[in-house]
Amino acid sequence: MIPVDSLTASLVRGAAGSPFKRAGRPGAVLPADRAVRPAAVPAPAPLARYRALCGHPSDGPLPLPYPHVLGFPLAMRLMTARAFPLPVLGLVHTWITLAAHRPLDPHEPLGLTVYADGLALHRRGTEVTLVTEARVGGSLVWESRSGYLARHRTAPPGADAPAADDPPHRATAPPAALPARAEWRLPADLGRRYGAVSGDRNPIHLHPLTARLFGFPRAIAHGMWTVARCLAENDDPAGVREARADFRAPVLLPSTVTYTADPATGAFALRGGTDGARLHLTGTVRR
């Protein structure tokens, strides 16, 4: 089971501590702590609900993003700790890479480790990289890297902003137009449904009222749901071993979005708006 109660407690703790943290503080350092979950077999019922909601096959290897979901409580524990330098409220998930070194049997025990791997200047603030690793019998079998952005002013008004790092995992430009493959009508309660299966009950995803408190006109879809749904639409989702996604604009709920992809190159994107002009997500897959 995903420990929803502990996640809720982490969010409350993070909300209470956020006003006392200032993103962009000179000399900020990351704690060296690692959050660890002992090896355990993924619970079948939550996994089945995740597969169904994200469109993945009901059997076969674990969906590529699922170990990241299992590690999310550990990530929250790190980001809400007193020593973590960025306020958890307002953190924006900006990108993710996923890599399975072999197919993962849903019946084998996974040991999980999550740690922070660096702070980087971003044109809109400060970005932290979190790493999640899954092991079986001590061997690394899966890993992800994620960027979370704390937005703040990076230069005085009228001054040039300092140059931001441009790591290779971040897409530098939107892809060319890709063929439309599917259209999805996303219901207003999608955030609550994904929150129930993933444990991520961030208020920006749950209700219009709580989303407005953080500057959104309506609730927004979880970025990790959009990634999982795009990967599920792949011709052979179980065969995808690596994926990268860059989150470019939130998906308001309810809405209609279009999944576009080029199987020859592995590029995909998620677009919204009546003419598909709004780019929500871009990414690539490798087998």
Side-chain angles (χ1 to χ4, degrees):
M1 265 309 272
I2 294 171
V4 172
D5 290 342
S6 66
L7 277 173
T8 302
S10 291
L11 282 171
V12 171
R13 184 171 63 248
S18 287
F20 303 99
K21 297 182 179 181
R22 183 168 62 88
R25 175 172 54 85
V29 296
L30 289 167
D33 299 346
R34 294 186 172 219
V36 176
R37 191 197 78 166
V41 175
L47 173 58
R49 292 195 292 269
Y50 176 89
R51 289 183 188 269
L53 185 62
C54 298
H56 282 262
S58 59
D59 56 10
L62 283 183
L64 181 62
Y66 196 64
H68 183 86
V69 174
L70 296 176
F72 182 70
L74 302 178
M76 283 300 300
R77 186 189 307 170
L78 289 179
M79 290 190 289
T80 58
R82 180 176 298 180
F84 192 76
L86 304 179
V88 70
L89 286 186
L91 280 183
V92 178
H93 197 178
T94 49
W95 57 270
I96 186 168
T97 63
L98 303 157
H101 302 304
R102 63 168 176 78
L104 302 184
D105 190 313
H107 301 101
E108 60 185 342
L110 291 180
L112 298 172
T113 302
V114 179
Y115 59 93
D117 192 39
L119 290 171
L121 185 66
H122 186 281
R123 57 190 169 83
R124 293 183 178 176
T126 300
E127 189 177 76
V128 63
T129 297
L130 288 189
V131 179
T132 302
E133 298 175 342
R135 288 177 168 78
V136 174
S139 297
L140 183 67
V141 295
W142 179 100
E143 57 190 312
S144 73
R145 301 177 70 86
S146 288
Y148 294 91
L149 173 66
R151 292 174 290 188
H152 59 83
R153 186 181 296 278
T154 57
D160 292 333
D165 292 339
D166 188 21
H169 49 245
R170 185 178 298 128
T172 57
L178 300 172
R181 306 267 299 198
E183 183 180 89
W184 306 325
R185 298 181 184 274
L186 310 184
D189 67 345
L190 177 61
R192 295 191 291 277
R193 293 167 60 194
Y194 185 79
V197 303
S198 69
D200 183 354
R201 298 176 184 269
N202 189 318
I204 62 175
H205 303 302
L206 303 183
H207 296 279
L209 179 60
T210 54
R212 287 190 201 109
L213 296 175
F214 296 90
F216 298 100
R218 304 196 299 274
I220 65 174
H222 291 75
M224 288 306 299
W225 180 87
T226 62
V227 171
R229 187 67 188 86
C230 287
L231 295 182
E233 196 69 27
N234 197 276
D235 291 337
D236 178 23
V240 175
R241 291 290 173 265
E242 296 181 14
R244 186 201 70 208
D246 292 271
F247 305 108
R248 297 187 175 273
V251 178
L252 297 176
L253 299 173
S255 66
T256 299
V257 295
T258 301
Y259 167 75
T260 65
D262 180 0
T265 64
F268 65 91
L270 193 67
R271 292 184 175 271
T274 55
D275 56 357
R278 188 164 179 79
L279 186 60
H280 294 297
L281 177 149
T282 60
T284 56
V285 297
R286 291 180 59 189
R287 300 183 182 282

